[in-house]
Amino acid sequence: DDGLHDRILLKLAMELRRALPRILKDHPPKYLWGYKYESSDESDEGDGEDGGTNLHADMAAVNVNVWLTPDHANLDPNSGGLVVYTVKPPGDWNHHKYNRDTDFVYDELIAPSGYANVTVPYKLNRVVMFDSALFHLTDKCKFKKGYTNRRINLTILYGEMALGGSITGKTNQATSRKQSADKTEL
């Protein structure tokens, strides 16, 4: 939980907050991390698609992702980005329940929403900003092999998470059924 705290990254986090006061004013920087994903040709699995981050929701108010690998490294320009679903964990779920049991999340929340999502294709220097409580995952991707072609993702989280409901603020059907039935810190 320490090591990725270079001054320029911390300055970026603060400058974004100043540049976007309507979104970030009430949300101080909380976490900052980066991933450099191994290409499938370099891993033992070799399944033809590169790894990424599995379905999860982050414990913050606002999620900012910036992609840093040149576009020529992405072998499919229509993919390689991020899939953001339109549902959040219910307020009575704990972090372990909604980030570890992904089959349950798909069955209880994602499927009943009709898998409603926004899929953002990868592009160098693209910034994707969204409510951190929304379930999301790395889109399928295939980047050229070689260390310099690996997909790099920088994430900055701001503020505290607000659970429950969907992107529209309405509680989804799975949440209603369930309720009636029962990185470096900045």
Side-chain angles (χ1 to χ4, degrees):
D1 278 347
D2 59 3
L4 188 63
H5 57 272
D6 192 273
R7 286 180 193 237
I8 195 162
L9 295 175
L10 297 176
K11 185 174 181 175
L12 172 64
M14 297 311 291
E15 289 294 327
L16 279 172
R17 190 169 183 223
R18 276 192 282 281
L20 301 166
R22 285 190 356 208
I23 299 169
L24 298 174
K25 179 179 98 178
D26 297 328
H27 305 295
K30 183 175 181 179
Y31 294 104
L32 182 147
W33 63 74
Y35 285 112
K36 189 166 196 170
Y37 296 97
E38 185 174 52
S39 296
S40 60
D41 293 343
E42 299 168 322
S43 71
D44 292 336
E45 297 171 23
D47 61 3
E49 286 187 0
D50 296 342
T53 306
N54 293 327
L55 182 71
H56 68 287
D58 290 308
M59 295 180 60
V62 180
N63 186 313
V64 176
N65 278 257
V66 183
W67 297 321
L68 304 173
T69 305
D71 291 333
H72 68 79
N74 185 0
L75 296 173
D76 180 1
N78 295 315
S79 69
L82 194 66
V83 178
V84 182
Y85 290 98
T86 60
V87 293
K88 300 178 183 183
D92 61 344
W93 284 18
N94 65 38
H95 180 77
H96 184 315
K97 184 171 190 172
Y98 64 77
N99 275 348
R100 301 276 187 244
D101 192 352
T102 57
D103 289 339
F104 183 77
V105 171
Y106 276 114
D107 292 345
E108 294 296 315
L109 297 176
I110 307 294
S113 78
Y115 298 90
N117 73 80
V118 174
T119 299
V120 182
Y122 182 93
K123 185 155 183 64
L124 173 65
N125 288 330
R126 177 167 280 164
V127 174
V128 182
M129 186 178 299
F130 58 96
D131 182 335
S132 285
L134 293 172
F135 285 104
H136 56 283
L137 70 149
T138 304
D139 191 14
K140 63 181 175 13
C141 56
K142 178 120 177 95
F143 280 63
K144 292 178 185 176
K145 67 180 183 174
Y147 186 77
T148 59
N149 293 314
R150 290 181 179 178
R151 181 184 183 276
I152 301 172
N153 182 84
L154 176 67
T155 299
I156 307 170
L157 300 183
Y158 294 85
E160 297 300 321
M161 179 186 236
L163 290 175
S166 68
I167 197 168
T168 61
K170 298 176 185 172
T171 303
N172 61 55
Q173 295 173 351
T175 303
S176 298
R177 280 197 312 266
K178 198 72 176 157
Q179 288 173 343
S180 64
D182 358 322
K183 351 208 177 289
T184 301
E185 273 190 57
L186 299 175

